[in-house]
Amino acid sequence: GGFPADCGTRSWRGGNVAASSRALARGLAVQDAGSSVLSTLSFREQDVIVNSSMHSTAADQERIVPQSTGLYRMTAQLGIRAAASAQSRIRAAIIDSSNLVVGIQDGIVDTSNAMFLQVSGLKRFNVVGGNCAVRFTNVSGGSTFAFSSGVTETWFSMEKL
């Protein structure tokens, strides 16, 4: 997992420009989700961060924080194990520090198949100090489900465009 090896510089119209701010949070702590519970994902590891201030593994593990104003693309992938007892509709959302939805996606997980649920969105930060996080809920179905914690299974990224 991670970003391409060329994340230090990019060539554009014959010139090099510094890489944009990028963060990838991964290594989800063990987390289960019950029925109709709105929860925020926490990430205990980070990978290839151009500005290490964008994510902390010690405090506020659920947030990625842009370090400058501008337009950012956020993407999250949730690796969800097969449901314990019944089919469930899972909703994942990227939310900002004002609780506004940046991106939202639903998916169905059943008792015999695991699933990857991806959600993405764009957000312009006009001031420094905001952040984004991933929230999830079991919208329908009474079954508890759990996330896969492998490095490439469940992650959250932010990239300045």
Side-chain angles (χ1 to χ4, degrees):
F3 294 103
D6 70 342
C7 71
T9 60
R10 290 188 204 166
S11 180
W12 183 68
R13 293 189 187 218
N16 287 329
V17 294
S20 60
S21 297
R22 299 178 184 199
L24 176 66
R26 60 177 173 77
L28 177 71
V30 175
Q31 211 163 342
D32 290 336
S35 181
S36 302
V37 175
L38 181 63
S39 301
T40 305
L41 292 177
S42 292
F43 299 93
R44 64 174 187 249
E45 298 175 20
Q46 55 197 27
D47 190 22
V48 188
I49 295 186
V50 174
N51 183 334
S52 62
S53 299
M54 293 180 74
H55 180 257
S56 171
T57 59
D60 299 321
Q61 294 177 327
E62 70 279 358
R63 302 185 312 183
I64 294 183
V65 181
Q67 299 299 301
S68 62
T69 59
L71 182 64
Y72 287 81
R73 174 177 45 227
M74 278 88 39
T75 305
Q77 175 174 289
L78 284 61
I80 302 171
R81 297 181 190 149
S85 62
Q87 185 180 69
S88 295
R89 182 163 55 104
I90 311 302
R91 176 169 294 148
I94 298 172
I95 54 105
D96 69 9
S97 49
S98 301
N99 284 321
L100 296 175
V101 175
V102 175
I104 192 165
Q105 184 68 45
D106 285 10
I108 302 292
V109 63
D110 62 29
T111 57
S112 59
N113 296 303
M115 141 179 113
F116 289 106
L117 180 61
Q118 291 187 338
V119 58
S120 63
L122 299 173
K123 166 134 178 99
R124 176 170 298 283
F125 289 90
N126 293 321
V127 295
V128 177
N131 64 74
C132 282
V134 181
R135 289 202 179 147
F136 64 91
T137 188
N138 189 342
V139 178
S140 65
S143 182
T144 297
F145 66 94
F147 294 99
S148 300
S149 59
V151 171
T152 60
E153 305 272 321
T154 300
W155 48 265
F156 179 34
S157 72
M158 176 185 279
E159 178 181 15
K160 186 172 184 180
L161 302 177

mmCIF file of all heavy atoms in Angstrom, residues 12-31:
data_model
loop_
_atom_site.group_PDB
_atom_site.id
_atom_site.type_symbol
_atom_site.label_atom_id
_atom_site.label_comp_id
_atom_site.label_asym_id
_atom_site.label_seq_id
_atom_site.Cartn_x
_atom_site.Cartn_y
_atom_site.Cartn_z
ATOM 1 N N TRP A 12 5.907 18.641 -14.556
ATOM 2 C CA TRP A 12 4.729 19.215 -15.181
ATOM 3 C C TRP A 12 5.172 20.312 -16.120
ATOM 4 O O TRP A 12 5.846 21.258 -15.713
ATOM 5 C CB TRP A 12 3.813 19.764 -14.102
ATOM 6 C CG TRP A 12 2.537 20.326 -14.629
ATOM 7 C CD1 TRP A 12 1.527 19.649 -15.207
ATOM 8 C CD2 TRP A 12 2.139 21.688 -14.600
ATOM 9 N NE1 TRP A 12 0.517 20.497 -15.556
ATOM 10 C CE2 TRP A 12 0.864 21.760 -15.193
ATOM 11 C CE3 TRP A 12 2.737 22.862 -14.153
ATOM 12 C CZ2 TRP A 12 0.178 22.954 -15.338
ATOM 13 C CZ3 TRP A 12 2.040 24.041 -14.295
ATOM 14 C CH2 TRP A 12 0.774 24.080 -14.884
ATOM 15 N N ARG A 13 4.863 20.157 -17.405
ATOM 16 C CA ARG A 13 5.242 21.119 -18.443
ATOM 17 C C ARG A 13 6.726 21.477 -18.381
ATOM 18 O O ARG A 13 7.103 22.640 -18.421
ATOM 19 C CB ARG A 13 4.394 22.369 -18.360
ATOM 20 C CG ARG A 13 2.965 22.101 -18.705
ATOM 21 C CD ARG A 13 2.204 23.381 -18.827
ATOM 22 N NE ARG A 13 0.813 23.071 -19.005
ATOM 23 C CZ ARG A 13 0.012 23.723 -19.785
ATOM 24 N NH1 ARG A 13 0.451 24.743 -20.467
ATOM 25 N NH2 ARG A 13 -1.240 23.390 -19.909
ATOM 26 N N GLY A 14 7.523 20.444 -18.192
ATOM 27 C CA GLY A 14 8.962 20.643 -18.242
ATOM 28 C C GLY A 14 9.597 21.094 -16.945
ATOM 29 O O GLY A 14 10.799 21.216 -16.861
ATOM 30 N N GLY A 15 8.810 21.354 -15.897
ATOM 31 C CA GLY A 15 9.400 21.809 -14.638
ATOM 32 C C GLY A 15 9.024 20.882 -13.500
ATOM 33 O O GLY A 15 8.067 20.128 -13.594
ATOM 34 N N ASN A 16 9.779 20.910 -12.440
ATOM 35 C CA ASN A 16 9.464 20.118 -11.257
ATOM 36 C C ASN A 16 8.721 20.981 -10.251
ATOM 37 O O ASN A 16 9.063 22.137 -10.049
ATOM 38 C CB ASN A 16 10.740 19.575 -10.602
ATOM 39 C CG ASN A 16 11.341 18.455 -11.414
ATOM 40 O OD1 ASN A 16 10.620 17.721 -12.070
ATOM 41 N ND2 ASN A 16 12.654 18.336 -11.376
ATOM 42 N N VAL A 17 7.721 20.402 -9.638
ATOM 43 C CA VAL A 17 6.993 21.087 -8.585
ATOM 44 C C VAL A 17 7.026 20.202 -7.351
ATOM 45 O O VAL A 17 7.084 18.989 -7.452
ATOM 46 C CB VAL A 17 5.526 21.391 -8.993
ATOM 47 C CG1 VAL A 17 5.479 22.386 -10.118
ATOM 48 C CG2 VAL A 17 4.788 20.128 -9.379
ATOM 49 N N ALA A 18 7.007 20.821 -6.191
ATOM 50 C CA ALA A 18 7.021 20.038 -4.951
ATOM 51 C C ALA A 18 5.745 19.210 -4.863
ATOM 52 O O ALA A 18 4.696 19.589 -5.371
ATOM 53 C CB ALA A 18 7.131 20.974 -3.754
ATOM 54 N N ALA A 19 5.860 18.069 -4.207
ATOM 55 C CA ALA A 19 4.697 17.198 -4.033
ATOM 56 C C ALA A 19 3.640 17.901 -3.203
ATOM 57 O O ALA A 19 3.936 18.718 -2.343
ATOM 58 C CB ALA A 19 5.111 15.914 -3.325
ATOM 59 N N SER A 20 2.408 17.561 -3.469
ATOM 60 C CA SER A 20 1.320 18.103 -2.676
ATOM 61 C C SER A 20 1.320 17.435 -1.306
ATOM 62 O O SER A 20 1.981 16.438 -1.091
ATOM 63 C CB SER A 20 -0.002 17.841 -3.394
ATOM 64 O OG SER A 20 -0.183 16.455 -3.570
ATOM 65 N N SER A 21 0.582 18.010 -0.384
ATOM 66 C CA SER A 21 0.440 17.403 0.934
ATOM 67 C C SER A 21 -0.348 16.106 0.799
ATOM 68 O O SER A 21 -1.414 16.084 0.197
ATOM 69 C CB SER A 21 -0.297 18.356 1.872
ATOM 70 O OG SER A 21 0.441 19.533 2.049
ATOM 71 N N ARG A 22 0.195 15.013 1.344
ATOM 72 C CA ARG A 22 -0.462 13.720 1.261
ATOM 73 C C ARG A 22 -0.392 13.030 2.610
ATOM 74 O O ARG A 22 0.601 13.129 3.317
ATOM 75 C CB ARG A 22 0.236 12.815 0.249
ATOM 76 C CG ARG A 22 0.242 13.334 -1.150
ATOM 77 C CD ARG A 22 0.991 12.383 -2.026
ATOM 78 N NE ARG A 22 1.081 12.926 -3.373
ATOM 79 C CZ ARG A 22 1.344 12.196 -4.422
ATOM 80 N NH1 ARG A 22 1.559 10.911 -4.304
ATOM 81 N NH2 ARG A 22 1.404 12.735 -5.608
ATOM 82 N N ALA A 23 -1.434 12.288 2.941
ATOM 83 C CA ALA A 23 -1.423 11.468 4.151
ATOM 84 C C ALA A 23 -2.204 10.195 3.868
ATOM 85 O O ALA A 23 -3.208 10.211 3.161
ATOM 86 C CB ALA A 23 -2.059 12.216 5.313
ATOM 87 N N LEU A 24 -1.736 9.086 4.420
ATOM 88 C CA LEU A 24 -2.443 7.815 4.336
ATOM 89 C C LEU A 24 -2.437 7.206 5.724
ATOM 90 O O LEU A 24 -1.374 6.894 6.261
ATOM 91 C CB LEU A 24 -1.770 6.866 3.347
ATOM 92 C CG LEU A 24 -2.370 5.458 3.254
ATOM 93 C CD1 LEU A 24 -3.785 5.512 2.696
ATOM 94 C CD2 LEU A 24 -1.504 4.568 2.400
ATOM 95 N N ALA A 25 -3.603 7.100 6.330
ATOM 96 C CA ALA A 25 -3.736 6.467 7.639
ATOM 97 C C ALA A 25 -4.207 5.038 7.408
ATOM 98 O O ALA A 25 -5.066 4.787 6.571
ATOM 99 C CB ALA A 25 -4.743 7.231 8.491
ATOM 100 N N ARG A 26 -3.638 4.084 8.127
ATOM 101 C CA ARG A 26 -3.980 2.682 7.921
ATOM 102 C C ARG A 26 -3.825 1.939 9.231
ATOM 103 O O ARG A 26 -3.558 2.537 10.250
ATOM 104 C CB ARG A 26 -3.083 2.079 6.850
ATOM 105 C CG ARG A 26 -1.602 2.136 7.207
ATOM 106 C CD ARG A 26 -0.729 1.477 6.160
ATOM 107 N NE ARG A 26 0.672 1.668 6.402
ATOM 108 C CZ ARG A 26 1.392 1.015 7.307
ATOM 109 N NH1 ARG A 26 0.816 0.114 8.065
ATOM 110 N NH2 ARG A 26 2.670 1.262 7.472
ATOM 111 N N GLY A 27 -3.938 0.604 9.169
ATOM 112 C CA GLY A 27 -3.751 -0.199 10.364
ATOM 113 C C GLY A 27 -4.837 0.026 11.385
ATOM 114 O O GLY A 27 -4.586 0.357 12.534
ATOM 115 N N LEU A 28 -6.049 -0.156 10.964
ATOM 116 C CA LEU A 28 -7.208 0.024 11.820
ATOM 117 C C LEU A 28 -7.083 -0.805 13.089
ATOM 118 O O LEU A 28 -6.757 -1.977 13.047
ATOM 119 C CB LEU A 28 -8.453 -0.413 11.043
ATOM 120 C CG LEU A 28 -9.784 -0.392 11.751
ATOM 121 C CD1 LEU A 28 -10.211 1.048 11.958
ATOM 122 C CD2 LEU A 28 -10.820 -1.117 10.923
ATOM 123 N N ALA A 29 -7.340 -0.192 14.211
ATOM 124 C CA ALA A 29 -7.415 -0.944 15.461
ATOM 125 C C ALA A 29 -8.636 -1.857 15.391
ATOM 126 O O ALA A 29 -9.559 -1.623 14.624
ATOM 127 C CB ALA A 29 -7.538 0.025 16.631
ATOM 128 N N VAL A 30 -8.646 -2.912 16.177
ATOM 129 C CA VAL A 30 -9.778 -3.844 16.168
ATOM 130 C C VAL A 30 -11.042 -3.067 16.507
ATOM 131 O O VAL A 30 -11.104 -2.366 17.513
ATOM 132 C CB VAL A 30 -9.562 -4.978 17.177
ATOM 133 C CG1 VAL A 30 -10.781 -5.867 17.252
ATOM 134 C CG2 VAL A 30 -8.339 -5.787 16.786
ATOM 135 N N GLN A 31 -12.033 -3.176 15.640
ATOM 136 C CA GLN A 31 -13.244 -2.403 15.824
ATOM 137 C C GLN A 31 -14.422 -3.198 15.298
ATOM 138 O O GLN A 31 -14.390 -3.693 14.180
ATOM 139 C CB GLN A 31 -13.105 -1.075 15.065
ATOM 140 C CG GLN A 31 -13.833 0.059 15.691
ATOM 141 C CD GLN A 31 -13.358 1.413 15.170
ATOM 142 O OE1 GLN A 31 -12.280 1.542 14.592
ATOM 143 N NE2 GLN A 31 -14.144 2.422 15.385
#
